[in-house]
Amino acid sequence: MAAESAVRVTPLLLLASHGSRDPVAQRAVLQLVSAATRELAAARPETLVVGGFVDVQQPDVPQCLAEAEPGRDTVIVPLLISAGYHVRFDLANAVADAAPRRVTVTAALGPDTRITAIVARRLAECGLRDGDRVILAAAGSSDANAVADCHAAGAQLSALLDRAVTVAFITAAEPRLPEAVADSRSEFPGARVVVANYLLAPGTFAAMARRAGADIVSEPLLVDGEEPPANLVGVVLDRYISAAAG
C-alpha cells in the first residue's frame, strides 16, 4: 500500500518542447526526453514521464494533461531556453484550464551556468581562437523578460570565456544576428566572427544562424546522433525535482 500511495502522490513530469517540422530537430529533442526519462527512472522509478509540445507537433500540452491520470499533480518543465511567450501564455493557459488539478510550470532551462558551459564547449569544438569576435545567437522573443534572460546568458558566457560577447537575435528582438555580424566585421576588420549557438536543437533557427554571415557557427546544445550533454539533462531533472519537492 505504501508503494501504491507513493505512485499516486508523485507528480507526473511533462516535458514540453516547442515542436518542429524538421525531423533532425525532432530526433534531437526526443533524445533529450529519452535521456531525462532514463535518469529519472533510475533515481525515482515511481515517476511517470510524458512528452508534449507547445506548437507545431502533437500531442499538445492540453491533450497531455487531459490524458494523464485524473487528479494527479503535474510538473511541466519547458524544454525551452528562455521563458518567452510559450511559457508565459501557452503554458499558463494550459495550467488554468487544468484546474482543479495542481499543475506547476517550472522556469525555462536558461539562463543557467551549466548551459553556458555547454555553449563554451561547443565553441571550443569548432575551434574558437584568441582574437575571434563572439556573438551569442538566441532565437529572440517579443517578451522583455526572455530577452533579458538571453543577455544574462551572454554575460555568463563572457565571464567564462574572459572576453567580450555580443548578444544578438534571430527573430523578434534587436539587434538581429546578420546586423550584429556585419557590425562586428566593421568594428574589428580582419577578425573572425564566431556565432555561439544559444539554441536547444538543430532546425529552422539554427539554419538561419548559419546563413547570418559569420565565419564559424557552433552547434546548438543538442546534436543529432549524439547523447544529450549530461549538464543539460541535469538542468531538466533539477527543475522537476525542485518543483515536485515544493
Side-chain angles (χ1 to χ4, degrees):
M1 291 295 294
E4 292 177 358
S5 177
V7 171
R8 290 193 197 102
V9 300
T10 301
L12 176 146
L13 168 58
L14 172 51
L15 297 172
S17 58
H18 182 276
S20 175
R21 294 181 179 84
D22 188 321
V24 177
Q26 293 173 5
R27 287 195 302 268
V29 173
L30 181 59
Q31 288 170 335
L32 176 59
V33 172
S34 298
T37 301
R38 289 195 305 270
E39 291 293 325
L40 196 57
R44 299 189 175 195
E46 72 278 9
T47 304
L48 176 64
V49 182
V50 297
F53 306 92
V54 295
D55 199 1
V56 183
Q57 291 179 254
Q58 295 293 323
D60 61 17
V61 170
Q63 180 181 341
C64 291
L65 291 173
E67 294 177 351
E69 179 183 329
R72 185 168 184 168
D73 291 352
T74 300
V75 173
I76 300 176
V77 177
L79 299 184
L80 303 167
I81 299 300
S82 302
Y85 178 88
H86 290 301
V87 173
R88 302 184 191 280
F89 183 81
D90 291 333
L91 294 182
N93 283 348
V95 169
D97 292 343
R101 167 185 283 176
R102 185 169 66 180
V103 180
T104 303
V105 181
T106 75
L109 301 181
D112 190 291
T113 54
R114 290 167 292 183
I115 289 178
T116 309
I118 299 169
V119 175
R121 191 180 85 196
R122 297 292 188 216
L123 286 170
E125 290 169 350
C126 71
L128 182 67
R129 301 192 305 228
D130 292 342
D132 290 344
R133 309 307 303 179
V134 177
I135 300 174
L136 183 72
S141 174
S142 58
D143 187 299
N145 292 298
V147 172
D149 284 349
C150 294
H151 282 287
Q156 291 176 350
L157 184 63
S158 177
L160 186 59
L161 298 177
D162 193 24
R163 68 170 78 194
V165 171
T166 300
V167 177
F169 302 92
I170 296 169
T171 186
E174 300 291 340
R176 295 295 174 88
L177 182 58
E179 285 71 27
V181 170
D183 288 347
S184 188
R185 289 201 186 284
S186 175
E187 186 175 358
F188 303 97
R192 296 195 311 176
V193 179
V194 178
V195 165
N197 213 322
Y198 193 55
L199 301 173
L200 180 66
T204 301
F205 281 5
M208 293 171 69
R210 289 194 298 271
R211 295 195 298 267
D215 296 292
I216 296 174
V217 179
S218 67
E219 295 283 0
L221 302 180
L222 296 172
V223 176
D224 185 36
E226 292 185 7
E227 278 295 308
N231 278 352
L232 181 59
V233 177
V235 172
V236 173
L237 297 188
D238 283 353
R239 296 286 186 268
Y240 169 75
I241 291 169
S242 295

